[in-house]
Amino acid sequence: MADQSSSVDLCKKLLNNSIYNPDDDTLTRLLTFPGITCITCEDHNSVPNQPIFTQDIPLNATLKTWLRIYKPINPTPVTKLPLILYFHGSGFVIGTLSITWFHDLCTSMAFQLPAVVVSVGYRLAPESRLPAAYEDAMDAINWVRNQAIGRTGDSLLQDIVDYSNCYLMGTSSGGNMAYHAALRSLSMDIKPLKIRGIALNQPFFGGSQRTSSELRLINDKVFPLAMSDLMWELSLPKGSDRDHDYCNPMVNESYKDKIKMLGRCFVSVSGGDILSDRQMEFVKMLEKNGVNVVTSFEEEGYHGIDIMEAHKTQALVMALKQFLSSGLVAVGE
């Protein structure tokens, strides 16, 4: 994995070298992150020491959304595996699921938990502003459901996944997606799928009122406040402010009856993350509404540390392993 300084430089260059055209609401992304191509079962013999194999498939060809499936090479015999539907980060605006950081995390989860991980390549803003990403998340949930009931015409997951033991997970903006997708799933019939919980890795939320951590870390080298504001400006529906439901889950009571049905939630927070105060407010809001929350809090750190530093990725995976094994109450039950 890249070290912190090079990762930070790349993030800044990527956004600073992008060109926004307000006339047609598009962003020209001039730099790209290093990425990983998938390692199929057929490729595995030529790529030594790979604990998993992957497969890329289209989700919605018209919308150009896609999935990457991560399967352990040698899963435990007989026992079916939990499924994690994963949403990558990068502020809804940049990035892809194939970025090395996200790919490495999904690989580690698939091998070490173990689990089948399905990572979602969703539409980006500003070309596709929210709720487009949430709609793509629901498409992914429906794809998994169709796998469970044998409606897809293939059996990519059929023989290995326990569909009664599924989780939604995301990093940064992906954490925001996992939260909103879980709420939306409560209004759908997704049986036989059962979402046992959601895992939010440094979730990306915002608001018009500044928090203490935002003011204290306003010029943070990794994720300055101006970058956060810009990402919300480009991703929220036009004319919206940061107190929109998509950005600030604390200001609107519209989801109150649903929040209490979320069941179990894992939230990781780093004290050096500009979003840390907002994330802790989110945790308190969940607990107030009866959600069983497991909070992983580190005093230091920065936004993205769990994917940018290998030992932190390992610690996150171990915390997730404990979370997955600690309860079996499904969302909505």
Side-chain angles (χ1 to χ4, degrees), residues 12-31 93-94 125-127 230 234:
K12 287 185 176 180
K13 285 180 180 179
L14 185 61
L15 203 56
N16 291 340
N17 284 273
S18 298
I19 301 172
Y20 175 62
N21 185 344
D23 293 334
D24 60 2
D25 205 25
T26 61
L27 190 71
T28 303
R29 300 160 180 87
L30 300 178
L31 293 178
V93 174
I94 54 178
E127 294 85 355
L230 177 58
L234 293 174

Side-chain angles (χ1 to χ4, degrees), residues 48-255:
N49 302 318
Q50 288 295 323
I52 57 95
F53 66 85
T54 57
Q55 182 174 1
D56 291 349
I57 65 168
L59 175 60
N60 185 315
T62 301
L63 299 178
K64 298 180 180 180
T65 56
W66 55 296
L67 305 172
R68 176 168 290 182
I69 304 169
Y70 297 76
K71 296 180 183 179
I73 294 294
N74 296 306
T76 304
V78 181
T79 304
K80 290 192 175 183
L81 301 177
L83 181 138
I84 296 176
L85 195 60
Y86 178 77
F87 308 104
H88 70 80
S90 295
F92 299 111
V93 174
I94 54 178
T96 173
L97 64 80
S98 64
I99 289 175
T100 303
W101 302 324
F102 304 127
H103 178 86
D104 287 349
L105 173 59
C106 290
T107 297
S108 295
M109 290 192 296
F111 176 57
Q112 296 188 58
L113 294 179
V116 172
V117 179
V118 178
S119 187
V120 183
Y122 53 88
R123 287 172 289 170
L124 299 179
E127 294 85 355
S128 299
R129 290 175 176 266
L130 295 174
Y134 303 152
E135 292 165 355
D136 297 342
M138 301 316 297
D139 280 351
I141 290 175
N142 277 320
W143 180 87
V144 175
R145 178 180 182 266
N146 288 337
Q147 280 279 314
I149 62 179
R151 187 177 289 174
T152 59
D154 52 43
S155 56
L156 296 174
L157 308 179
Q158 195 72 35
D159 298 328
I160 191 173
V161 166
D162 177 2
Y163 292 104
S164 69
N165 193 19
C166 299
Y167 296 82
L168 304 183
M169 180 186 174
T171 295
S172 189
S173 56
N176 177 301
M177 285 181 65
Y179 171 69
H180 283 280
L183 291 173
R184 290 180 175 224
S185 73
L186 292 168
S187 300
M188 298 170 52
D189 178 11
I190 60 172
K191 295 176 182 177
L193 222 61
K194 287 189 177 181
I195 299 173
R196 296 289 180 184
I198 57 177
L200 314 183
N201 172 217
Q202 295 183 301
F204 183 39
F205 295 116
S208 297
Q209 183 70 35
R210 300 303 189 188
T211 66
S212 295
S213 63
E214 287 173 340
L215 295 174
R216 184 177 74 254
L217 300 167
I218 188 171
N219 295 314
D220 181 62
K221 293 181 179 180
V222 178
F223 192 46
L225 187 60
M227 185 180 291
S228 174
D229 288 353
L230 177 58
M231 287 178 163
W232 283 120
E233 183 179 341
L234 293 174
S235 59
L236 287 170
K238 280 193 169 183
S240 303
D241 63 25
R242 291 189 304 276
D243 283 333
H244 191 286
D245 284 351
Y246 301 157
C247 178
N248 190 344
M250 268 73 75
V251 298
N252 197 313
E253 296 293 318
S254 61
Y255 289 134

